[in-house]
Amino acid sequence: MHYSFSDNFKKKAEQLLGIYPQKEAVIIPLLHELQRELGYLPDEAMDALADYLKVPPVRIKGVVLFYTMFNRKPVGKFHIQVCRNISCSLMGAGNIIDFLKKNLGINEGETTADGYFTLSTVECLGSCGTAPVMMVNDDYFEDLTMDKIEKLLKEFKNG
Amino acid sequence: MPRITIDNRTIDVEANTSIIKAAERVGIYIPRYCYHPSLSIVATCRMCIVEVEKAPKLMPACSTQVMDGMVVHTDTEKVKSARKEILEFLLINHPLDCPICDQAGECFLQDYYMDYGLYHSRFRQEDKIRRRKRRIIGNNLVLDNERCILCSRCVRFLQEVTKTEELTVAERGDNSEIDLREGKTVDNPYSLNLADICPVGAITSRDFRFQSRVWFLQRTNSICTGCATGCNVEAHHRNGKVYRLLPRHNGNVNGHWMCDFGRLSYKVLMSESRVTKADIRVNEGINPGNIKDVLKETIKIIEKIIKDNGADSIGVMGSANQSLENNLALAEFARKSIGTKNICMDFPFEQGIKDGILINKDPMPNSSGARLIHTANNGISIDQFFSLLKAGRIKLVIVSGNDLYFFREKLSEVLSDAPKPKIIGFMSDMSNFPWQVDCILPVPTCFEERGMFINYAGLLQKTEPAVSAKDGIKPLWELLNEASLLMGKSIELKDRSAILGKLSQTIKEINGITYEKIGEKGVKVL
Amino acid sequence: MAEKVLFKNINDPKQLEIETCLKNGGYNILKKALSMKPEALIEEVKKSNLRGRGGAGFPTGMKWSFIPKAAPRKYLVCNADEGEPGTFKDRVIIEKDPHLLLEGIIISSYAIGAYQAYIYIRGEFVKGARILEKAISDAYKNGFLGKNILNSGYNLDVIVHRGAGAYICGEETALLESIEGKRGLPRVKPPFPAQVGLFGCPTVINNVETLAAVPAIVAKGGDWYAGIGKGKSTGTKLFSISGPVKKPGVYEVDLGYPFKNFFEEYAGGMLDGKKLKAVIPGGSSTPVLTAEEAMNVALDYESLQSAGSMLGSGAIIIIDDKTCMVDALYILVRFYHHESCGQCTPCREGSGWIEKVLHRIEKGKGVPGDVELIESVANNIMGRTLCPFGDALAMPVLSFVKKFRHEFIDHAAGKICGRAVARA
């Protein structure tokens, strides 16, 4: 299965290749871009990127598997990532995680049947002063309480 | 030049020498996994860490450069303790595969454990990480992720030597594993070097899998005859059977590597195209017979053609696949016993490494050597040879190798409108020979005979027999000497010292040559 | 308390917009800097004794002076990977006063002779990256970036490069690997980045906070900066404080400020009903202090070192008396296990091993010798690894077990306290 880049992607790729002095430096920015378009990184897209940059396909695979932000499988419309590190745990992250599991009916790493929510735990998000904290897609949600989360989930569901 | 003292031995070394290399020079071996002299330094296994006076912690010997006045200790309790601890880390998730692992007996984990380990495990079995095993990652290789200690030698070899980069380390932390892109297997022409450099049984050779325990194998130093590069090898054998070839280090020829084609060339010993019996074709029928009888019949054919058409109607072809000794004998036989001047031993193969690594443009191991004999005997060029064939002036061709395979197009063109001459072949293997042979006399393969070969760079090296030739098969020179006696025109090559004498006489570049002088690393003659 | 160096304009909600920033004096110092010789700038920073604010504390001026002047291509890299647990100070600068950071980057790049600077920002800081992009775009429009900045003849391009989720990329050489499109594996040193850095060229990597301090040093002189603080710990520092305190957040104080005062005056002390039990003073990789030790220490490099810990990134994590130290350590060890790059043997294997044994200890399923075992394993990692990550993993293990040993012994013997918060 061959993957064709969008015009937008091609433009972005050319722009980046004009900035960085070594072509491989665009790998991670372009993987972010691909994920932005596709929601995750299917094999075909990774191979297409390898082909485009003339690097061996396994190089792209190695990079994708190293970094946690790259999704190897599709995720739900809202990827909920709760911090499980020290400050957030001290301030109740454990209860937040339990609450989300119960509320959504899924375990860590799983997606709800309607495809709306994927639940993950992550390490320190760099917002410890407003613990507990979670990241949903690109946004941070801080000073979390059960009520806040319940409200947020409803808002997400309703679009 | 910086001066370093290692374990009370002092040596001056060039700037930018690592401690591990300096130690080697004073005969001290520092244990290592990720370090390999022909690959980049990564200093990740941490096994080579040693005590450096004035340094706050133990330093990796592979990546620490010698500085003037440096004092290093490699055998203190601190260092031995550290090695034990690194081993412990490597062994906690390592499977107890030794009883079924091919690497046993040449495994860096086993060896260093006996030297530095020998402890009771503190690790609980239920904590052990399980990984994928027995993954076929190419035509020649099996990968066992559970045995892998992530030294990354394989990944670096494919990045730096073959530049094909089929493998990567996937994931991170202790989820790390060697992996490839599905469908893109490790099938480059040098893949089996990975089995050599893998310090443990993570990457192993499919060809050698379960064939023999390594401690039963004997080793014979020889050279590969797969092309004009002449990589140095070690033939591993037992009870008359060769089990594998491994590259032998030679800084002037092949470094630490050899190609897969050469490595597997020992299989000719077992192939179906191997010539093991003498055959003579009479009136469309094949009459196998013992070598002596077939030789006698062959001589009869030769003598008849000389009588009917003159000695020059016999063309004698040497072989770039044959040793100097055998080509010499063939030339002597051609001149003295037959009396023909139509001798050709000059094969115009282009010389030089063709892939930037080891494989030569010239597929034959001794073009340079054969050419020396050719010149000394005023041989005719291969074009002249083909012209004579085309004109029907050659009634009999004597060959000693499958060199003509590489000229098969020209050959079939020449023979399309010329009568086919009789062919007598002194062959070890019939694969790829593009002509139907009338008499076949078996000769040993390079694995069964001592022989001198000159590679593309003018280096004279020798093969040594790992196993003996079977069933009365004698070296070509011996057979020809016998034939010459039967014909009453002796070539006087009754033993090797006679051959060495004749070679010295005939070819000034190898005057005074002996097998001892060639030794294990060869000697430059051209 | 000296004036605010980094947080001068932090309370102006429009400070990130260039119009407001300029009104508040933004980029004035740039003009002055570009009129000085690069060597003079390096000299001022040396005099200031500014030390790397990311955690390593290496003298900044010295780092800059290692760059070979004659090299044709050099780079400045701003380390905005901020991943050390407990640290959230750089985010404040990035999101609230990005132009201060940019001004610092431009001056520093000029000082070392770089024509391209990268801001490596952790992938999760999406908002921060967007704010930086906008600030950079505005800076170009106003002539503070690009060709012939403020008619000085100096050219600089700044590029925001996002990470993708790997704490190890906060280590400077792993960061360079990541920009170069590879897995974030720390490099063997030597060679150091000042010789062989980004794309093989001499490179300076500095933390956000370090670069943001440069404009003030240039404006008022290195001696002025060196006059703030205590002894060899000069200047001000942003301390992130988190955990069960009344006012968690980021506060700028002079180095040398007593922890007790900081804790009570700035963070407001413990939340009602909670008592102080332990303090991690400089981010999770620094040895933990007991409440008593913390209350008697000053917040500077030397004092914390004497107390057996480190200033690190200045991330203060407060632990209360209801927290199980075994569980707290488990959370940290789980983090290090997750983030280990896996290159070198002790860290790769040891991190997983310690996590497994510690998990059993916490659950009360330890066997005799387990506590000594994790200490032994941590000691076998310490000082043996290719990069400081191994020590960062070992130090919390050793300090937690040393100072709260009875909790570990009890848990290992089956006497669990039942107060675990980690969801394993």
Side-chain angles (χ1 to χ4, degrees):
Chain A
M1 246 194 303
H2 177 71
Y3 175 79
S4 300
F5 295 135
S6 68
D7 286 334
N8 210 28
F9 180 87
K10 280 190 257 202
K11 245 193 351 229
K12 180 100 192 158
E14 271 158 39
Q15 185 218 355
L16 289 176
L17 284 168
I19 295 174
Y20 292 89
Q22 275 178 12
K23 63 172 178 163
E24 290 85 357
V26 310
I27 289 178
I28 291 178
L30 287 182
L31 284 170
H32 273 304
E33 185 62 32
L34 275 174
Q35 184 161 286
R36 206 183 53 76
E37 289 184 10
L38 301 169
Y40 75 114
L41 294 167
D43 284 345
E44 311 82 64
M46 284 161 55
D47 284 347
L49 183 61
D51 192 47
Y52 176 77
L53 293 174
K54 303 268 173 289
V55 299
V58 84
R59 174 104 57 97
I60 305 291
K61 179 173 178 178
V63 168
V64 169
L65 294 184
F66 183 85
Y67 296 97
T68 58
M69 283 182 76
F70 290 136
N71 301 326
R72 308 137 193 217
K73 290 200 287 264
V75 294
K77 201 148 166 251
F78 299 96
H79 188 185
I80 302 177
Q81 300 159 87
V82 186
C83 173
R84 65 177 190 182
N85 210 303
I86 186 77
S87 298
C88 288
S89 290
L90 290 172
M91 302 306 286
N95 294 335
I96 305 277
I97 293 169
D98 285 343
F99 177 75
L100 280 164
K101 281 185 186 169
K102 213 163 122 216
N103 194 301
L104 299 174
I106 52 177
N107 258 321
E108 260 180 74
E110 294 178 358
T111 305
T112 53
D114 59 6
Y116 263 82
F117 300 107
T118 300
L119 177 64
S120 304
T121 56
V122 292
E123 296 294 350
C124 182
L125 288 170
S127 186
C128 323
T130 52
V133 169
M134 72 184 185
M135 189 173 171
V136 182
N137 294 351
D138 287 344
D139 302 312
Y140 275 31
F141 294 91
E142 307 167 44
D143 293 313
L144 292 173
T145 60
M146 311 301 187
D147 289 332
K148 253 190 179 165
I149 294 177
E150 241 177 331
K151 254 219 279 275
L152 278 168
L153 290 176
K154 277 208 194 75
E155 278 172 35
F156 290 142
K157 211 56 206 276
N158 297 332
Chain B
M1 293 238 281
R3 172 166 294 180
I4 179 175
T5 306
I6 309 179
D7 297 347
N8 299 320
R9 282 172 248 195
T10 304
I11 185 177
D12 290 330
V13 291
E14 297 77 29
N16 297 330
T17 305
S18 60
I19 295 179
I20 207 171
K21 279 214 170 93
E24 235 163 57
R25 302 249 204 100
V26 290
I28 296 172
Y29 177 84
I30 296 178
R32 80 291 296 265
Y33 292 104
C34 63
Y35 169 73
H36 188 283
S38 293
L39 299 174
S40 61
I41 308 278
V42 287
T44 53
C45 73
R46 314 312 280 180
M47 192 63 187
C48 71
I49 51 181
V50 290
E51 242 184 277
V52 177
E53 282 184 17
K54 300 204 198 104
K57 42 186 190 173
L58 296 174
M59 304 296 282
C62 63
S63 64
T64 307
Q65 315 261 287
V66 164
M67 300 219 288
D68 194 39
M70 189 182 259
V71 181
V72 174
H73 301 283
T74 74
D75 59 353
T76 59
E77 284 316 305
K78 205 163 157 200
V79 171
K80 287 192 219 172
S81 197
R83 289 175 184 168
K84 195 175 188 163
E85 286 145 21
I86 300 292
L87 268 173
E88 183 178 37
F89 281 128
L90 288 171
L91 288 168
I92 57 176
N93 289 309
H94 191 80
L96 270 170
D97 275 5
C98 296
I100 57 164
C101 176
D102 283 328
Q103 198 80 12
E106 52 188 25
C107 170
F108 283 41
L109 276 175
Q110 280 186 342
D111 292 347
Y112 295 159
Y113 181 78
M114 294 313 291
D115 289 336
Y116 312 110
L118 298 174
Y119 58 86
H120 286 294
S121 176
R122 312 189 281 181
F123 188 74
R124 289 172 57 159
Q125 263 312 100
E126 65 254 33
D127 288 343
K128 188 189 166 314
I129 301 173
R130 310 291 293 275
R131 301 188 211 274
R132 288 184 281 178
K133 302 178 79 68
R134 293 185 293 275
R135 296 174 64 191
I136 299 203
I137 58 169
N139 287 329
N140 295 323
L141 299 172
V142 186
L143 168 65
D144 189 313
N145 284 114
E146 208 181 26
R147 297 176 185 171
C148 175
I149 55 165
L150 289 162
C151 70
S152 76
R153 280 182 174 190
C154 54
V155 175
R156 283 177 283 139
F157 177 87
L158 297 172
Q159 283 172 348
E160 297 160 17
V161 179
T162 60
K163 303 198 184 14
T164 46
E165 204 171 331
E166 295 95 323
L167 295 176
T168 186
V169 180
E171 307 285 355
R172 63 186 196 207
D174 60 8
N175 287 321
S176 298
E177 56 169 21
I178 302 296
D179 204 3
L180 41 62
R181 168 77 183 96
E182 291 73 29
K184 297 244 187 290
T185 50
V186 186
D187 280 315
N188 62 66
Y190 297 88
S191 65
L192 279 164
N193 290 297
L194 294 184
D196 293 344
I197 59 176
C198 179
V200 299
I203 293 189
T204 50
S205 156
R206 285 177 77 181
D207 179 60
F208 186 62
R209 191 173 178 78
F210 301 153
Q211 293 305 302
S212 172
R213 279 313 198 183
V214 304
W215 50 83
F216 292 135
L217 300 174
Q218 290 174 296
R219 288 137 212 257
T220 299
N221 288 347
S222 185
I223 60 159
C224 171
T225 56
C227 75
T229 302
C231 297
N232 288 202
V233 304
E234 247 181 39
H236 289 206
H237 55 93
R238 179 190 180 198
N239 293 339
K241 179 176 168 186
V242 173
Y243 284 85
R244 62 178 182 178
L245 295 179
L246 292 188
R248 181 165 57 91
H249 181 257
N250 187 329
N252 289 326
V253 185
N254 56 311
H256 286 99
W257 320 126
M258 73 183 295
C259 76
D260 293 353
F261 173 79
R263 190 189 290 256
L264 297 174
S265 64
Y266 77 91
K267 285 175 162 330
V268 70
L269 289 165
M270 289 101 66
S271 86
E272 281 180 4
S273 51
R274 179 80 204 277
V275 180
T276 51
K277 300 244 179 293
D279 277 342
I280 192 158
R281 184 187 302 278
V282 175
N283 299 332
E284 301 313 312
I286 309 288
N287 286 4
N290 77 43
I291 295 173
K292 190 104 189 207
D293 292 338
V294 173
L295 190 66
K296 288 204 184 115
E297 289 302 313
T298 306
I299 291 171
K300 284 204 194 115
I301 295 173
I302 293 174
E303 286 171 336
K304 181 161 193 324
I305 292 186
I306 295 175
K307 193 162 136 227
D308 293 345
N309 306 95
D312 283 345
S313 69
I314 298 181
V316 174
M317 269 208 137
S319 174
N321 209 25
Q322 272 291 3
S323 60
L324 277 176
E325 296 92 319
N326 290 329
N327 276 307
L328 173 83
L330 200 52
E332 294 294 303
F333 185 74
R335 264 187 19 256
K336 286 198 187 141
S337 314
I338 297 178
T340 176
K341 62 178 188 316
N342 290 327
I343 304 171
C344 177
M345 295 183 173
D346 182 4
F347 300 94
F349 290 115
E350 208 189 325
Q351 303 277 292
I353 306 283
K354 75 173 172 190
D355 64 355
I357 308 176
L358 287 175
I359 297 176
N360 212 291
K361 295 178 198 167
D362 180 354
M364 305 305 255
N366 202 19
S367 304
S368 305
R371 191 169 302 119
L372 283 178
I373 311 273
H374 173 101
T375 311
N377 284 276
N378 297 315
I380 60 171
S381 74
I382 197 162
D383 286 331
Q384 288 172 301
F385 198 89
F386 281 134
S387 301
L388 291 171
L389 272 177
K390 195 172 177 127
R393 305 246 299 272
I394 302 278
K395 310 290 182 204
L396 167 66
V397 178
I398 300 179
V399 295
S400 53
N402 64 351
D403 309 63
L404 284 170
Y405 169 75
F406 297 100
F407 303 92
R408 58 193 181 280
E409 273 135 31
K410 178 83 191 197
L411 184 67
S412 61
E413 183 216 307
V414 157
L415 291 180
S416 61
D417 49 23
K420 182 186 166 296
K422 272 200 153 41
I423 321 269
I424 296 173
F426 293 91
M427 311 284 278
S428 61
D429 179 62
M430 284 309 289
S431 66
N432 290 336
F433 196 68
W435 238 344
Q436 194 163 59
V437 178
D438 298 292
C439 307
I440 307 174
L441 287 137
V443 289
T445 65
C446 62
F447 300 99
E448 297 158 320
E449 189 189 345
R450 180 178 237 190
M452 297 188 212
F453 292 78
I454 302 181
N455 82 351
Y456 76 106
L459 188 71
L460 173 63
Q461 308 184 107
K462 62 181 168 74
T463 59
E464 289 290 354
V467 294
S468 336
K470 312 229 183 338
D471 300 343
I473 297 175
K474 291 182 240 197
L476 176 59
W477 60 266
E478 224 181 287
L479 209 55
L480 290 173
N481 192 52
E482 215 178 287
S484 75
L485 287 169
L486 287 171
M487 289 170 77
K489 296 186 186 155
S490 171
I491 56 176
E492 288 165 4
L493 295 174
K494 66 173 171 31
D495 56 25
R496 283 202 182 260
S497 77
I499 294 180
L500 289 178
K502 191 77 199 174
L503 277 174
S504 279
Q505 222 175 39
T506 329
I507 302 169
K508 65 176 190 319
E509 289 90 340
I510 54 174
N511 188 13
I513 196 67
T514 62
Y515 294 105
E516 287 71 38
K517 281 194 186 145
I518 298 173
E520 306 298 347
K521 300 283 189 197
V523 60
K524 194 137 165 47
V525 297
L526 293 177
Chain C
M1 186 68 58
E3 65 196 273
K4 295 274 169 277
V5 173
L6 300 158
F7 274 3
K8 203 158 123 190
N9 298 308
I10 213 73
N11 291 319
D12 186 335
K14 286 196 195 282
Q15 175 66 8
L16 73 161
E17 294 169 19
I18 187 134
E19 300 79 18
T20 310
C21 163
L22 288 170
K23 254 191 260 157
N24 285 333
Y27 293 104
N28 275 335
I29 306 163
L30 177 60
K31 289 192 184 73
K32 174 180 178 193
L34 291 174
S35 71
M36 291 165 68
K37 280 201 165 55
E39 301 81 54
L41 285 168
I42 299 179
E43 204 41 50
E44 284 308 312
V45 174
K46 269 186 167 164
K47 274 198 273 183
S48 75
N49 216 4
L50 171 68
R51 292 163 71 164
R53 295 289 193 242
F58 192 86
T60 307
M62 194 186 293
K63 196 186 246 192
W64 290 9
S65 71
F66 290 151
I67 297 288
K69 299 213 184 348
R73 219 173 12 128
K74 303 165 227 180
Y75 292 101
L76 183 97
V77 175
C78 168
N79 187 342
D81 195 57
E82 191 156 70
E84 179 79 2
T87 318
F88 49 103
K89 60 182 178 74
D90 295 336
R91 184 180 169 212
V92 178
I93 298 179
I94 288 168
E95 294 188 0
K96 301 214 166 144
D97 201 351
H99 288 287
L100 175 62
L101 172 61
L102 281 180
E103 193 173 13
I105 288 177
I106 302 168
I107 296 173
S108 308
S109 302
Y110 171 71
I112 65 163
Y115 299 103
Q116 214 182 34
Y118 289 84
I119 303 177
Y120 184 93
I121 184 169
R122 62 178 294 178
E124 296 86 346
F125 281 177
V126 184
K127 179 174 169 189
R130 287 196 193 123
I131 290 174
L132 280 172
E133 300 270 21
K134 173 86 176 43
I136 288 171
S137 166
D138 288 338
Y140 271 101
K141 289 200 194 103
N142 283 268
F144 302 127
L145 281 174
K147 301 244 179 299
N148 196 14
I149 298 172
L150 300 178
N151 284 318
S152 64
Y154 176 61
N155 310 331
L156 180 67
D157 287 317
V158 176
I159 295 126
V160 174
H161 186 103
R162 289 177 62 214
Y167 162 77
I168 190 63
C169 288
E171 196 277 335
E172 61 175 17
T173 59
L175 192 156
L176 297 179
E177 290 287 291
S178 189
I179 296 181
E180 292 180 7
K182 299 177 238 172
R183 303 168 73 236
L185 306 178
R187 296 176 179 170
V188 176
K189 294 196 277 204
F192 291 86
Q195 312 304 318
V196 182
L198 187 60
F199 307 128
C201 303
T203 305
V204 159
I205 301 113
N206 279 141
N207 175 259
V208 166
E209 190 187 342
T210 312
L211 292 166
V214 169
I217 291 172
V218 173
K220 307 216 181 102
D223 290 330
W224 162 81
Y225 193 84
I228 306 170
K230 182 174 158 193
K232 289 200 281 185
S233 298
T234 61
T236 63
K237 173 99 187 68
L238 298 181
F239 287 93
S240 322
I241 184 162
S242 62
V245 293
K246 289 213 172 75
K247 293 186 287 175
V250 183
Y251 304 100
E252 181 178 13
V253 293
D254 295 358
L255 276 173
Y257 201 62
F259 169 81
K260 180 170 191 296
N261 296 47
F262 179 82
F263 171 63
E264 285 163 5
E265 292 160 25
Y266 285 83
M270 300 300 287
L271 285 172
D272 292 334
K274 299 217 187 252
K275 249 176 71 187
L276 183 66
K277 177 177 179 183
V279 176
I280 303 178
S284 63
S285 308
T286 57
V288 70
L289 298 171
T290 61
E292 193 186 331
E293 288 172 328
M295 285 306 209
N296 286 308
V297 82
L299 294 171
D300 62 82
Y301 294 97
E302 287 69 40
S303 301
L304 281 161
Q305 198 169 4
S306 304
S309 187
M310 291 156 55
L311 182 71
S313 62
I316 300 172
I317 302 168
I318 300 295
I319 298 174
D320 67 285
D321 59 329
K322 293 284 186 291
T323 296
C324 168
M325 295 310 276
V326 184
D327 182 47
L329 179 63
Y330 171 74
I331 291 170
L332 294 181
V333 168
R334 182 178 61 180
F335 163 72
Y336 288 107
H337 178 210
H338 185 254
E339 299 293 339
S340 168
C341 78
Q343 262 198 120
C344 69
T345 308
C347 170
R348 177 183 71 242
E349 305 294 340
S351 57
W353 193 1
I354 296 180
E355 189 194 325
K356 287 177 179 144
V357 180
L358 189 51
H359 192 224
R360 267 202 299 278
I361 292 176
E362 198 285 310
K363 293 266 173 280
K365 297 208 166 51
V367 300
D370 266 355
V371 178
E372 290 75 14
L373 176 61
I374 61 172
E375 276 183 308
S376 168
V377 175
N379 273 316
N380 291 348
I381 296 172
M382 192 89 177
R384 299 273 174 81
T385 51
L386 190 145
C387 84
F389 186 100
D391 296 350
L393 151 67
M395 284 194 288
V397 175
L398 292 170
S399 62
F400 270 64
V401 172
K402 179 168 161 204
K403 301 201 180 167
F404 299 94
R405 195 177 197 87
H406 57 281
E407 289 191 50
F408 288 86
I409 302 285
D410 283 349
H411 273 259
K415 288 199 291 241
I416 57 176
C417 62
R419 283 174 295 164
V421 294
R423 294 295 179 266

